Amino acid sequence: MLEHTDQQSLTDQFIAPALDALQNCEFTRRCPGLSDEQWTRMGIERALKECKTGRGFLQEWAMANSEEFAVDVGHFFETLKSARRLKLIAQINRVVAAAMPTHPDCRIDELEDLEGVDIYAGDGHYHKTSTHELPIKGKKRAVGHFYTLNMRSHALTHLTGADHEAGRKKGEHDMHALKRMTNEQLRQGAAKGRQVLYVWDKAGIDIPQWYRWKQSAGVYFLSCAKELFKLTFYGEIDFDQNDPANRGVLENQMVTNATSQVTFRYIKYQCPDSGIIYEFVTNHMKIRPGVLAWLYKRRWDIEKTYDTVKNKMQESKAWARTSNAKEMQAQFICLAHNLMVLMEQRMAAEHGLRNQKEIKRCQKREKITEQRAQDSGRRWAPLYLNPFKRSQLTLKFIRWLRYHIQAESSMTCAITSLRRVYTKF
């Protein structure tokens, strides 16, 4: 017997978490010309579809929907300037992201020292300007944003847009952008008593600033050490060398440097796969050094997410030129990504639909790298073994989703189709 939800359209089921969040948003308003619900649907589909222009998207939308839902170009682009709608979509995305469960491919909940810690991989991302972008001092500046990826749930969130400082800079340095954030923004809704750890590349290093955030907001950092760091070593920090999670850890020390005037932690680590030695710095003193090294390895997930956004979702150009429109686009990209993560998890949990061919490719890569480590005489860290580990949504899944949203397929039809796609491709 079919479940009621299986008889509903895939589109309705896919977008349901966003519309559920919309019902309780404080920034909703009745707009007969383009309701908040329809506008939310349009923004999500705009982020998913391969249309290169707004006009192209609106024409496809008009052809796929009845006359009452058609929206002219001027009206849609006016909504992208709205400060109210920007607050609305930001709130929707916060609610959806906060409610996302631990991703089944994630191993963070297996590690006791990560209990009570919200962990985010962070980085900046730039794309092309809109066609009608106004030049600054004779040049069009690439549009930049700073995002974070929740390493537990894989939820993508938008921190802030890059500030070009009236054209004085081509882009904004990561630390400069982070310093514009309030403690509340950096905590991203974390409950009182929970710690927040940001895993950032070298552009996110400012030891004194992270010390202040640790003291005032319970916000910590983890990064690679800069080559020019001149460290003063204060002594070893004890760690269990027999713990399998710490395999590859060569040093775990308390240090300071000439510019920071505060102590922090230094970890030297040899990758069991490549043999490359890495140096990490952090102000979190309790997480095992091998776990911290693994978390930095997992930071690559946000880079792969950017690849999904740019090359699979085809979001490589700004929708419009206003600052509100640019941030709205970033929020819709996050929301569309998060809804796709939820839908993929649902297909696996409720219908047993996993991309088995991709899993087998992951397992094959794991065996090759494990063998390479053994041949080189290095001990393989068990944290690196994750046969279901995938860094990004696959293009076959995104193609499947696009097709059935466009076709307004029922869940039953879409499920059958995805099973066929995973079998054949």
Side-chain angles (χ1 to χ4, degrees), residues 197-200 220-224 280-282 292-293 295-296:
L197 174 66
Y198 281 94
V199 187
W200 214 282
Y220 300 75
F221 88 101
L222 167 66
S223 186
C224 266
F280 303 110
V281 288
T282 182
L292 288 168
L295 285 176
Y296 196 84

Side-chain angles (χ1 to χ4, degrees), residues 222-225 239 243-253 265-281 288-298 373 378-385:
L222 167 66
S223 186
C224 266
F239 69 98
D243 184 346
N246 288 328
R247 289 177 187 168
V249 176
L250 305 177
E251 296 181 25
N252 183 37
Q253 298 185 323
R265 189 174 172 191
Y266 166 85
I267 298 164
K268 182 180 283 188
Y269 177 84
Q270 185 175 38
C271 175
D273 174 17
S274 65
I276 296 173
I277 292 178
Y278 294 93
E279 296 174 290
F280 303 110
V281 288
R288 286 172 289 175
V291 173
L292 288 168
W294 174 72
L295 285 176
Y296 196 84
K297 176 178 182 286
R298 290 295 305 271
R378 292 185 290 272
R379 300 176 70 193
W380 188 254
L383 275 176
Y384 275 68
L385 289 172

Side-chain angles (χ1 to χ4, degrees), residues 192-241:
K192 186 176 180 180
R194 287 189 69 83
Q195 299 172 350
V196 177
L197 174 66
Y198 281 94
V199 187
W200 214 282
D201 64 12
K202 296 175 186 178
I205 295 180
D206 184 327
I207 303 296
Q209 180 60 58
W210 285 108
Y211 174 79
R212 289 190 285 271
W213 280 328
K214 174 182 175 179
Q215 296 297 106
S216 65
V219 174
Y220 300 75
F221 88 101
L222 167 66
S223 186
C224 266
K226 293 181 178 179
E227 290 80 0
L228 298 179
F229 260 0
K230 294 182 179 180
L231 300 176
T232 299
F233 294 86
Y234 280 97
E236 296 286 341
I237 301 174
D238 289 336
F239 69 98
D240 186 356
Q241 299 186 35

Side-chain angles (χ1 to χ4, degrees), residues 1-108:
M1 183 176 178
L2 290 176
E3 296 287 342
H4 173 64
T5 54
D6 291 342
Q7 299 176 52
Q8 295 178 340
S9 72
L10 170 72
T11 304
D12 288 342
Q13 290 297 298
F14 171 70
I15 207 170
L19 297 187
D20 289 344
L22 174 65
Q23 302 309 312
N24 297 311
C25 282
E26 60 182 297
F27 301 106
T28 56
R29 186 181 301 167
R30 186 175 179 275
C31 300
L34 179 56
S35 70
D36 286 339
E37 178 177 330
Q38 184 182 345
W39 178 79
T40 302
R41 286 175 175 269
M42 293 180 75
I44 294 169
E45 288 199 30
R46 177 74 177 92
L48 280 176
K49 288 195 172 182
E50 296 179 279
C51 296
K52 294 183 178 180
T53 67
R55 285 179 177 272
F57 165 72
L58 291 170
Q59 184 177 341
E60 285 195 12
W61 176 273
M63 291 187 294
N65 292 276
S66 61
E67 177 65 27
E68 64 179 307
F69 292 114
V71 179
D72 64 62
V73 174
H75 192 175
F76 181 75
F77 279 91
E78 279 299 313
T79 65
L80 295 180
K81 300 176 184 178
S82 169
R84 178 190 71 83
R85 297 215 197 219
L86 174 57
K87 292 177 182 178
L88 178 66
I89 189 58
Q91 186 176 21
I92 291 172
N93 202 37
R94 283 196 300 271
V95 172
V96 171
M100 289 175 67
T102 297
H103 196 280
D105 294 347
C106 173
R107 301 186 62 187
I108 287 177

Side-chain angles (χ1 to χ4, degrees), residues 6 8-11 13-14 48 50 312 339-348 351 353-355 393-423 425:
D6 291 342
Q8 295 178 340
S9 72
L10 170 72
T11 304
Q13 290 297 298
F14 171 70
L48 280 176
E50 296 179 279
K312 296 177 181 178
L339 294 176
M340 285 193 288
V341 170
L342 288 171
M343 179 57 71
E344 186 186 47
Q345 290 181 39
R346 178 177 176 180
M347 291 295 103
H351 306 284
L353 291 173
R354 275 184 167 269
N355 190 347
L393 295 158
T394 62
L395 186 53
K396 68 178 72 174
F397 177 83
I398 296 174
R399 286 190 188 120
W400 165 81
L401 186 63
R402 281 178 180 146
Y403 174 84
H404 289 286
I405 287 177
Q406 182 72 25
E408 282 291 327
S409 302
S410 67
M411 282 293 289
T412 303
C413 174
I415 290 166
T416 301
S417 172
L418 185 59
R419 183 172 287 110
R420 184 165 57 250
V421 165
Y422 279 169
T423 301
F425 302 97

